[in-house]
Amino acid sequence: MTLGTPAPSGTTQQEEWIYSFCMGCMQADCSTRVYLKDGVVVNIEGNPDSPLNQGKVCPRAIAAIMGLYNPYRVKTPLKRTNPEKGPDIDPGWVEISWEEALDTVATRLEKVREEDPRKLVVWEGWGAAEVFLITSKEIEKSVNYTHGFLIFSKAFGTPNEVFAHGPLCSIHYAANLVHGQHPEYVTDLQHCQYLIAPGRTVGPNVATPHATKRFLDAIERGMKLVTLDPRFSPEASKAYRWLPVRPGTELAFALAMIHVIFYELKKFDEWSVKNRTNGPYLIGPDGYYVRDNSTKKPLIWDPVDNRAKTFNDPSIKDYALEGEYTVGDVKAKPALQLIKEHMKKYTPEWAEGITSIPASTIREVTQEFVEHAMIGSTITIDDFEFPLRPAQFGGSGRGTMSQRGGTYFDLAGKIINLLVGAVEVPGGITGNRNPGPCADVLEPDDDGVVTPILEAIGIPFKYPPEHVGMNEFYPHAHAAPHLTVRAVLEPEKYYLPYNIEAMLVCGANSIRGTCNRELFIEAFKKVPFTATFSINFDEVAMMADIVLPEHQFLERRYARFYLVAHQSTDDSIRGLVMAMGRNPVKPLFNTKRMDDVLIELADRMGFLTGPGGINDLVNIAFQLKGKNKLDLDKKYTIDEMIDRRVKEVFGNKYSFDYLLEHGVIYKYEATGKLGYNYYYWPDNKTRFPIYFDRLKASGDRMRKNLKKHNIKLPNWKEQEDYFKYYEAIPYWIPSPEFTAPPEYDMWVCNWKTPFMPFGTANTQENAWLAELREEDPYEMYIWINTETAKKKRLEDGDEVWIESRYGKTKGKLKLTELIHPEVVGIPAGYGSGTIMMSPDAKKGTYYNTLLTSQEDTGIDPVSGSISISPKVKVYKVDGAG
Amino acid sequence: METKGALNTQKVWGWKVAAYLFLAGVGAGAYLIGFIFSLTHPEFILLSKVTILLAAPLVIVGALFLIWDLGQKTLAPLVFLRPLSSWIARGTIIITVFIILDLIHIGMWIWPFTWLEGAPGLRLALGGATSVFAVLTLIYTGLLLGTAKPVPFWSISILPILFLVSGVSTGTMGAALSLSVYSLSTGSAVEPPLMLLARYDAFVIILEALIICFYLIRMYRLTAARTSAYLVTKGSLAVHFWGGVVIAGLVLPFAFEIYNTYLPIANPMTVLVLTAVAGIIGLAGGFMLRYVVVAGGTRTPLNVEGVLVPPPDTYGVRVPW
Amino acid sequence: MTRYGLVIDLKRCIGCDTCTIACKAANATSRGIMWNHVLKYETGKYPNSQLNFLPITCMHCEEPECEKVCPTGATTKRNDGIVVVDSDKCVGCRYCMVACPYAIRYFFDELQTYYPGYVTPYEEIGYKKHKLGTVQKCDFCLERVEQGLQPACVVACPANARFFGDLDDPDSEVSKLIKERKGFVLNPELGTKPSVYYLPRD
């Protein structure tokens, strides 16, 4: 795979063009060329010089033209005159000047800051993915993620940052814990021979160019893909196997795979488990490590010398993985023994009953998986010998993580990969931190286990809670807009010692993107002041007091530093450090760049300069040193800050202007053997947790804290139900959907498509994408299995209601063989809008009304994610049977 | 072999094209039977005159529908340019010649000149020449539709013959209708030619009905054509077919003609009125036949290494705002 | 002799429709008209289902039906193999549309803008390329091709599933792919001899 190869099959036009990059999805890392004629955008193509997308794009990049010229955009700053708020209520907008808008917002927010800065909630979403004052994901270990992570809100002094994508993107815990990396983990498609992909995309389902190419190259190379998914996706059309599964039951499948490995195949990577996991660590009756009395280090049992030793004792001859041993007066078992015993009941037959996947298939797939893992094999890269394990299970996918028990599923997947040694080695799963592999990542803690970060550490308990998002009660949660609004509406119930007085919305629309819409609308109504940065009149804009119109992304001069590999990795991105530049198209309306406005607001409110101000935090976030550091007392423009960063990363002979002229600047910091984390901590120098004592510890801590303050978890009828999800070994807990009344006889599921993977860049209102999705025979319909439809006497094209116990939605049926017989499927996120949006925007079926975010019913208590596959019933709209 | 999805009828050519095919058929058909009867029954001068008077105007009106259907109407004269390969070009030449010859015939015999009044031989020669073009007009439309390779409902060799026969039948009914109207308004006797027309048209109708049966049965054998045949006989075009083509176009006129031939009605006025009514109904049915053929045309599916897939809809998706 | 042709690899196509929208952006077709489509259809029965993608555009046939039936000579096949419509000569009779076995010709009879009642600056410029009342279709981006560039759909495809080149050159990428992977055409029984080849998915 050569680096920097231009697009293999085509060249681009030679008319007048400028370098740009796309923001049509949350990755926002496709460098483009924007073609202009008399200042009008006439075409968009990929930039062949980018090592990432290599001259290619997806439909959304090209559709940006219609996004730019969308006449339904917000064109000027607006002030509301109708005090009544709602998505379908005319706000009585009055155009105001920027001066009035900024003054109003700064004055209101300053007042809040003086009273109690916590009273401001800053909403962040993928619409602000490139805005570094809002989405400063470059900070990792230096600043705890949920503690004040976003530069603007941290400088303001509020801990209340709410990520709109939070509840459906809660995929970080296991990666933060096991890989010590953030945000997630990806598959090594350069070496992989067998990939089991549950409830996720590896690229093609949302058509991200680089992931798609990598995926197809792997398929061409002969990689076998197994998709575990209720629906047959475009990726499944390239797959070796499609395993149709009941949504939300993938955990049962994973547990059964572990059972088969232990009890039937009886084959796993012993060397890897002994040397690179906490599998051999002795666990006492309390569920924690048995520790040496003096050093306090965890103990293992050496079966050759027949005694316990600390895990890093140089005299260890072997590690026991099974058996029961007595250490002092404590009876202990190696963690792996506990895991093995635990998995005994999860037979393939048991799993078949829950997942509907035949037991024989579960056995076959597990066998194929273990065979392809080639336990014991090695590969030499740059004279360094690595273990080679070209089989992988998983990938953080919303389809499986956004379920009650989703965290357990992710952890069970880790166990599967760890049993064959396919973690952080060529062929295996790897964390996807930026800029890639380095020595810090797998560094062991005092117990010799990979140091966890961010969400796996969680925030410390505090009573009364600091965060409106209830992070104190859900310390490992990603972000919880659904809990935020509940706390806003009932602060006493949630022990919140203050009221929310202001909302600042930056590229986020939780009213559409979450569920329990009414709660969000009520919360926004209750809060006295809301200001939004908006490109269109979506639900949050309609709840605003002041609307601050934002540039459409093509109009923003910007630089984006390549973040992380998504979906998969190979040599083209290992160790890649890259920046992309965007030359703006002349703005059409009276709009501004979001961060310019934020700088202005910070200045007016007095936290731009000085210690703890914006400049200070930008220095930390960008790791600026020496003369690149911002002077704390000067006012800088966004462009100047970007320029400093370019110099810091690439060297002083580069600049923002250079980047804008050349489109991309890149280098590789970790190539060859340096591109694999194993290199830095080989053999037994670090260990991955396979027994999740930290999760258990977290649950035990919560119990203690609740007791100490004599409080209960808000909104949990059965407190114990919460703690069931905080055990050291994942286990199967049927969600409340399993006890739904029999009339709810179907499951429902959702998936992303190339036309609308996110609401980012206003894909909903985009007329080109609207035309494509209306022509597609599958996109705007509710999928139902043909046989099932026949049994229910439903026909193709029938208009039906899909109803869960929490809400209902309607649409037209599409009879198909591409979905599990017990499942109805609704693609993407259509069907929701406001009275001020285009007619295209509201067409389709809205999914989220089917869900609930009520704590004891619909969320995963560890990650905070919302369960997205409830049980439903299907019936015709006219009521006839 | 099953097609992966529903086959749509073509939406490119609609009722305007059907109207043209119909009018050209009536005009040319009328002329033709007029010429034939002028050979067998030269005494029916009125019949001859009526038929040649119907021909050109009807074909001209038909051609106007065609021009109305074009995207660039002002460029219409360009359609003559490719007679070596295009049936539209050939057809335009054919009907132009036919119209000119018929206009000459009218102009020289009826108005403004009557030079051919005393020259039956010359009239016959002119009539013969024009009839050749009448026949060509009748069958070329079938050939035009027939060269559309992807529409098996049209590319059957029987289509030109069907259009010929239908043209003759509708031409006959048109002539009969005209004679009745003429008689009702001027009072002249038209019974003998009417009876002649009725008697022979009955046979033509039987022939037409047989051809239609044969046509539809043949269509059931081919995939895309089967869809067309189904649509026409049982689907969305069934009403047009059974009500229009069969009952209005074949059964009722046939019934009336038989009745009138073998059980002659005493009251001549009734005969005239009923002939006129039957004529109108029959002509409507004749239009329906062209419409059903045009609207029922279904494209043959795409053949993707043996898997049959419906082709993309030719008109795209129109958005109702 | 150059004979331009397109090769589409069905093993790689993921049905994302980037080619469709790239064509649209490069050619500014009106709402309701798409020169490229990606047909999506199922084969097999659950659980042995299969989803298939078929990108389809003008085949630029060696024996084009459309050229035969055009009464004005507006549709012609160039020496380099590209079949083009001269909109100055097209009368809009649509005979070519019924004759085309692949149904990939489109009648531009009504301008429909993307946003109701509003013409975007892009459409203002782009729609000038098209003449109302005429038939239009893919022209292999001949303006780009004449400058030595590739068609928009080929450049854009993120799956690297589209290839363009000279079918008469045995060393061109397209010729080699067709030979090695046994490329096939649609409806060979009709004798149209398309210049668009598909590489089978297995």
Side-chain angles (χ1 to χ4, degrees), chain A residues 8 14 54 164 175 298 323 372 454 475 506 563 615 650 683 739 744 858 878:
Chain A
Q14 286 160 358
Q54 296 176 37
H372 282 85
L454 300 181
C506 309
L563 210 47
N615 289 353
F650 294 105
D683 301 323
T739 47
Y744 297 93
D878 58 12

Side-chain angles (χ1 to χ4, degrees), chain A residues 788-807:
Chain A
T788 308
K790 248 193 261 179
K791 285 193 200 127
K792 289 180 179 287
R793 283 188 245 142
L794 294 168
E795 278 168 26
D796 208 48
D798 277 351
E799 225 192 323
V800 295
W801 283 107
I802 306 290
E803 185 176 335
S804 73
R805 291 177 289 172
Y806 320 112

Side-chain angles (χ1 to χ4, degrees), chain A residues 780-821:
Chain A
M780 307 298 283
Y781 296 90
I782 299 177
W783 295 26
I784 189 169
N785 183 285
T786 313
E787 278 305 311
T788 308
K790 248 193 261 179
K791 285 193 200 127
K792 289 180 179 287
R793 283 188 245 142
L794 294 168
E795 278 168 26
D796 208 48
D798 277 351
E799 225 192 323
V800 295
W801 283 107
I802 306 290
E803 185 176 335
S804 73
R805 291 177 289 172
Y806 320 112
K808 65 187 203 186
T809 188
K810 71 173 151 145
K812 275 207 164 101
L813 278 184
K814 166 96 189 162
L815 268 56
T816 174
E817 301 293 321
L818 303 179
I819 195 162
H820 190 289

Side-chain angles (χ1 to χ4, degrees), chain A residues 627-810:
Chain A
K627 67 179 164 88
N628 286 331
K629 246 180 142 149
L630 299 174
D631 184 332
L632 291 192
D633 295 318
K634 251 184 85 179
K635 182 175 179 180
Y636 295 88
T637 61
I638 295 292
D639 291 3
E640 283 170 327
M641 293 180 184
I642 294 175
D643 186 61
R644 299 286 173 112
R645 186 161 187 213
V646 172
K647 289 181 157 64
E648 185 63 42
V649 174
F650 294 105
N652 283 322
K653 70 175 173 86
Y654 292 98
S655 63
F656 188 23
D657 285 329
Y658 180 95
L659 180 61
L660 291 173
E661 245 181 79
H662 292 83
V664 293
I665 307 174
Y666 67 94
K667 58 178 176 172
Y668 285 87
E669 275 185 354
T671 53
K673 64 187 175 196
L674 299 174
Y676 299 88
N677 286 316
Y678 178 87
Y679 171 77
Y680 305 94
W681 301 94
D683 301 323
N684 62 352
K685 299 285 182 292
T686 194
R687 291 167 181 278
F688 300 102
I690 193 171
Y691 177 85
F692 308 109
D693 62 309
R694 283 184 175 272
L695 184 57
K696 179 179 164 58
S698 184
D700 288 344
R701 255 195 319 272
M702 182 63 66
R703 268 191 224 275
K704 253 203 284 227
N705 283 316
L706 292 175
K707 198 164 173 206
K708 175 168 156 198
H709 298 281
N710 199 17
I711 52 173
K712 284 187 161 5
L713 290 161
N715 226 12
W716 281 84
K717 279 195 221 71
E718 290 295 331
Q719 297 280 297
E720 272 310 302
D721 284 347
Y722 170 100
F723 295 101
K724 286 184 182 159
Y725 293 87
Y726 283 84
E727 297 288 332
I729 308 175
Y731 66 106
W732 172 255
I733 308 164
S735 74
E737 299 309 313
F738 280 82
T739 47
E743 73 213 67
Y744 297 93
D745 58 339
M746 307 273 295
W747 299 88
V748 69
C749 76
N750 175 266
W751 56 85
K752 294 185 186 300
T753 67
F755 308 133
M756 194 189 182
F758 304 93
T760 307
N762 200 7
T763 45
Q764 203 180 346
E765 229 177 19
N766 189 303
W768 268 353
L769 293 176
E771 187 178 36
L772 286 182
R773 68 191 183 221
E774 275 160 23
E775 205 209 34
D776 187 298
Y778 292 101
E779 186 83 1
M780 307 298 283
Y781 296 90
I782 299 177
W783 295 26
I784 189 169
N785 183 285
T786 313
E787 278 305 311
T788 308
K790 248 193 261 179
K791 285 193 200 127
K792 289 180 179 287
R793 283 188 245 142
L794 294 168
E795 278 168 26
D796 208 48
D798 277 351
E799 225 192 323
V800 295
W801 283 107
I802 306 290
E803 185 176 335
S804 73
R805 291 177 289 172
Y806 320 112
K808 65 187 203 186
T809 188
K810 71 173 151 145

